[in-house]
Amino acid sequence: MENVNLNELRNRAYKTACEHGFHDTELSNEHFICLVISELMEAVETDRRGKQPNVMQFERGISYPMNDFKKVYDYCIKGTVAEELSDAVIRLLDLAGLRNLNLNRFALVNVVSKKKTFTENIYAIVKDIMNYKYSLEEQVNYAITQVFVLADMLGIDLFWYIEQKMRYNELRENKHGKRY
């Protein structure tokens, strides 16, 4: 994580969210945290289904100019744990942008571990993000760190997936076709 500027990613995620109508109305921090939790729950569901991304096919598919990026993404990456973990981080980045949070803090102690199951690790992240003894800035920073630690334990290059998903999101319709 040390080679990537999270504040730059924050700005990009927030800009895209603004351009796609996600901040047309003022919503609470709890609203945004709940959406992060929903992405983490989607990660549990995708883990249960066991669908794996096909990165080689994705890279081959997008290398052809005639191929549509979104269609190749949908076919090769959509509905995987890597995508859902990316979505959770992108939502956290967006919240950090909305509230102008600095993303330079990292959790000193990991709540995820190899001794836990995937669902137990997701539960630990959700429990930690709901811990109101921390400031919002700490909650967001710690949650991002924990998702990255979990992804690393799973062998997922989360920055690569975040980059692909952010590119995908930039091509989507207003509010990604949803109410909020």
Side-chain angles (χ1 to χ4, degrees), residues 60-163:
R60 201 172 328 126
I62 63 168
S63 69
Y64 293 103
M66 67 205 155
N67 284 347
D68 177 83
F69 179 87
K70 283 176 64 179
K71 287 182 182 176
V72 175
Y73 183 96
D74 285 342
Y75 185 75
C76 297
I77 297 175
K78 192 90 172 142
T80 63
V81 168
E83 182 199 34
E84 299 304 342
L85 294 178
S86 297
D87 284 342
V89 172
I90 290 167
R91 288 206 175 273
L92 287 161
L93 293 168
D94 174 41
L95 175 58
L98 176 65
R99 302 297 186 230
N100 197 30
L101 306 177
N102 189 355
L103 298 181
N104 66 356
R105 297 176 173 213
F106 300 98
L108 301 176
V109 177
N110 290 330
V111 296
V112 298
S113 81
K114 291 181 180 181
K115 294 179 182 178
K116 296 177 184 174
T117 66
F118 181 79
T119 53
E120 290 168 339
N121 279 318
I122 294 293
Y123 175 81
I125 294 169
V126 169
K127 186 177 171 188
D128 204 43
I129 199 172
M130 297 297 300
N131 191 338
Y132 290 106
K133 75 177 182 181
Y134 302 120
S135 69
L136 178 64
E137 188 168 82
E138 290 169 324
Q139 288 172 298
V140 170
N141 274 285
Y142 295 168
I144 289 171
T145 300
Q146 296 309 303
V147 174
F148 270 99
V149 170
L150 177 59
D152 188 56
M153 286 177 4
L154 298 171
I156 296 171
D157 180 357
L158 197 54
F159 281 117
W160 185 87
Y161 284 97
I162 288 170
E163 177 59 36

Side-chain angles (χ1 to χ4, degrees), residues 34-46:
C34 186
L35 293 177
V36 170
I37 293 168
S38 76
E39 297 296 351
L40 293 170
M41 292 305 101
E42 287 179 28
V44 170
E45 286 303 311
T46 59

